[in-house]
Amino acid sequence: MKNIAIYPGTFDPFTNGHLDIVMRARLLFPSVIVAVTDNPHKKGDFSLADRIAMVKEAVRNIDNVSVDSFKELLVNYTNKKKARIIIRGLRAVSDFEYEFQMALMNRNLSANIETVFLMPDEKYTYLSSSLVKEIARLGGNIEEFVSEHVRSVIFKHFKL
Ligand code: COA
């Protein structure tokens, strides 16, 4: 098994904070798959196809990063990909409890898989997809937080 790393998330939408994690992960692992999915606890704004397209655009020139999607248990998907690393970003202590629970549950479901936590640059520690959407909807500037492509998708989606 190669050290393929899976970076799963809803990415609704993909932000510069997510990209920061991808850039760190790609230096640690020979191959990184950004795996887009739905989170049953969240009602997303963008379709799966739109979210995949946003990630693809963001990582298009990065040679060891690819984009995929899945609709099953993350550990099953990870095993199918012959990967054994799950990457998650940790922004603040508030992320910890949820991430800790998921990592241990995933380990319980599949003991061969390790979750690796990476910290984004400090400037992204307060960033989240929901905040980006809220700021955009209310006419704020989101230039610092998402790519130009993501910005245009957000503007189009919310008819701004
Ligand atoms: N920079 C900026 N924001 C970040 C970030 C970073 N580095 N890392 C996370 N975030 C934000 C996201 O923008 C998102 O914000 P939002 O809540 O405002 O939308 C939030 O943190 C978490 O989003 P994300 O990283 O996409 O994760 P998620 O919680 O939506 O995804 C899954 C969770 C998909 C990994 C999980 O539900 C899963 O594994 N599902 C598959 C089914 C399964 O196996 N379930 C059992 C799990 S034990």
Side-chain angles (χ1 to χ4, degrees), residues 26-56:
R26 72 174 290 265
L27 298 179
L28 296 173
F29 302 102
S31 169
V32 176
I33 303 173
V34 184
V36 188
T37 190
D38 295 314
N39 183 338
H41 303 290
K42 287 188 199 165
K43 195 204 148 290
D45 284 289
F46 299 98
S47 67
L48 185 64
D50 277 352
R51 287 180 281 133
I52 294 170
M54 287 189 267
V55 184
K56 278 196 170 153

Side-chain angles (χ1 to χ4, degrees), residues 7-11 15 17-18 21 37-39 42 70 72-75 88-89 91 98 102 105-106 120 124 127-131:
Y7 179 34
T10 48
F11 307 118
T15 68
H18 294 127
I21 296 291
T37 190
D38 295 314
N39 183 338
K42 287 188 199 165
F70 68 103
E72 62 188 308
L73 269 184
L74 174 58
V75 289
R88 292 289 289 168
R91 291 161 299 170
Y98 171 60
M102 270 204 307
M105 183 55 85
N106 283 332
Y124 300 126
L127 179 57
S128 78
S129 298
S130 318
L131 274 184

Side-chain angles (χ1 to χ4, degrees), residues 107-126:
R107 180 184 285 167
N108 184 275
L109 294 169
S110 188
N112 58 317
I113 295 173
E114 285 297 341
T115 301
V116 173
F117 293 106
L118 297 176
M119 286 169 290
D121 191 291
E122 283 155 50
K123 65 178 185 249
Y124 300 126
T125 51
Y126 53 87

